[in-house]
Amino acid sequence: VQLQASGGGLVQAGGSLRLSCATSGRTLNSYVMGWFRQAPGKEREFVAAINWSGIVTNYADSVKGRFTISRDNAKNTGYLQMNSLKPEDTAVYYCAAGPNIATLDKGYGDWGQGTQVTVSS
């Protein structure tokens, strides 16, 4: 499956952004979708994941209560709603597809190109 992330940008601390991940190729409803991020000089880290039905989700502790992952299988698109953004959320955000919910990036076989999120203080 091919993935295309979008929606990044520059926002002030406390603001919100919604990232989208459009997919093509195989139907999205057979895949778990995950979001990861990578800040400069740091390793890529797990942010959130959602199962094929949208019922099961998993979040990194650092974003619980602020970020919400969702998906619209009819549109083959996943979303990451990010509220109460902090400067430490600044990173390139990647969406990925895989067979099971996983917090390690090796659990996902298909990746989008990433979208930059910058949060100013």
Side-chain angles (χ1 to χ4, degrees):
V1 61
Q2 291 78 46
L3 303 102
Q4 178 83 24
S6 63
L10 174 63
V11 64
Q12 288 188 333
S16 298
L17 282 174
R18 188 176 82 155
L19 305 183
S20 298
C21 181
T23 68
S24 60
R26 300 180 188 176
T27 56
L28 179 62
N29 63 6
S30 61
Y31 285 83
V32 165
M33 175 172 283
W35 287 93
F36 286 74
R37 66 187 181 186
Q38 187 167 20
K42 296 186 177 181
E43 297 201 352
R44 188 160 56 187
E45 65 174 3
F46 171 77
V47 176
I50 187 168
N51 78 328
W52 68 271
S53 69
I55 293 175
V56 180
T57 58
N58 192 15
Y59 294 92
D61 288 343
S62 59
V63 306
K64 280 181 181 176
R66 300 188 299 121
F67 291 11
T68 302
I69 190 171
S70 62
R71 64 194 294 162
D72 185 338
N73 290 338
K75 296 182 178 179
N76 286 324
T77 302
Y79 305 96
L80 185 69
Q81 177 67 42
M82 306 186 296
N83 298 329
S84 301
L85 282 161
K86 304 175 182 180
E88 51 263 43
D89 294 318
T90 295
V92 176
Y93 283 71
Y94 299 88
C95 58
N100 300 295
I101 285 188
T103 59
L104 298 177
D105 55 7
K106 65 181 180 181
Y108 298 84
D110 298 292
W111 291 81
Q113 86 291 356
T115 184
Q116 176 71 47
V117 171
T118 303
V119 184
S120 63
S121 57

